Amino acid sequence: MEQQAKQGVVLQNAADSVQDRKGLLGKMETLIKSGDFNSGPGAEQWKNLTAALQRPFGIESQSVSSQDEFNKLAAQLAREQFKTLGGTGTDAKLESAMSVSPNSGLSNRSNERIVALLKGNEDAIGVKNQEWQKYKSENGAGNYSKFSTKFNKDYDPRVFQAQYMSKP
């Protein structure tokens, strides 16, 4: 019973930060669509070269600062997701979480798709928590496993993700 209650609290804690993570995703999406920088293989090296060439003249391009901001947001998002998933432990585990999150090593199109999927996942966390709260008020907090099994039987993440995907 105590483990069941803890699982419900974990879900509620994850749901409490949904809007924070969606805010990060929204900022990343804006940067991707702005056209101020291009991500992909070699993007980080190109950014460094551009910054180095501009530095002697006191110039800072929008593309360099946009990519820096994107990288900062990507690291923040990966840490938040790692924490939400109960992540503790090694840097290697965090690095693994970062590699499957939007990052400047992926193409802009890949980052757009990942952002869309993650926004849908955040919505799903929020909805699952709402349903858990409703279930708890009707049935008591003692059977999270039963609730989760029933919820997951009918749950399809694509329902939440589709609204954020581009038409093509």
Side-chain angles (χ1 to χ4, degrees), residues 1-9 132-149:
M1 284 295 201
E2 187 176 319
Q3 180 63 24
Q4 301 253 342
K6 285 181 183 178
Q7 290 173 317
V9 169
W132 166 239
Q133 298 306 320
K134 183 175 158 186
Y135 180 92
K136 203 166 58 164
S137 70
E138 294 170 359
N139 301 292
N143 204 338
Y144 181 82
S145 291
K146 183 177 179 182
F147 157 77
S148 191
T149 299

Side-chain angles (χ1 to χ4, degrees), residues 87-117:
T88 58
T90 66
D91 288 343
K93 288 180 182 178
L94 177 57
E95 184 64 35
S96 176
M98 291 179 83
S99 71
V100 296
S101 292
N103 66 75
S104 63
L106 300 172
S107 71
N108 282 10
R109 186 72 181 125
S110 294
N111 280 322
E112 284 180 29
R113 289 178 176 160
I114 292 170
V115 165
L117 293 173

